[in-house]
Amino acid sequence: SAKLDSVGRNKMFMVLTIMRMADLGVVFTDADNMFLGDPFAQGVHLGDLIRSGKYDYVYQEELAKAPAKDHVVPGDGGNTGFFYATPRNNK
C-alpha cells in the first residue's frame, strides 16, 4: 500500500541520514522484532556477515514462509523492518 511504502522510505531515509552524519554502519530493526541471543556474536549469521566486510547492505527477504533450500534471493529489495547498511564502500 502507499502508506506502507511511505513508512519504508522514511526508515531508509532515517538510516541514510545517520550514516551520512556519523559515518557509521546501522542495523535497523522494528520494535516488534525479538532477539533470543546476541545477533552480533561470533558464529551468528548477521554478525559474521557484518564482520566479513564484504557487504554494504544485508537484509531479510519479505517472505510469508521459510524459503526452500534451493531458493535464490532476487536481490531486488527486502524487508525494511530488519536490515544492516554501511557507508564504508561509498566513499
Side-chain angles (χ1 to χ4, degrees):
S1 74
K3 185 173 182 178
L4 283 178
D5 288 346
S6 176
V7 169
R9 282 191 299 274
N10 285 337
K11 290 175 187 179
M12 296 299 280
F13 179 73
M14 179 184 66
V15 167
L16 180 60
T17 300
I18 292 168
M19 289 190 319
R20 284 182 174 163
M21 290 176 67
D23 197 34
L24 294 172
V26 175
V27 173
F28 182 92
T29 180
D30 281 345
D32 61 348
N33 289 334
M34 181 191 307
F35 299 99
L36 299 176
D38 180 356
F40 308 107
Q42 190 79 25
V44 176
H45 193 63
L46 176 64
D48 290 346
L49 289 173
I50 292 170
R51 276 188 298 281
S52 76
K54 296 178 184 177
Y55 306 98
D56 294 331
Y57 182 55
V58 176
Y59 64 92
Q60 172 182 313
E61 264 190 289
E62 186 74 57
L63 299 172
K65 62 180 183 176
K69 295 285 185 199
D70 59 349
H71 175 72
V72 177
V73 178
D76 62 352
N79 180 339
T80 60
F82 184 75
F83 63 92
Y84 161 77
T86 181
R88 177 188 54 243
N89 294 327
N90 295 328
K91 294 180 181 178

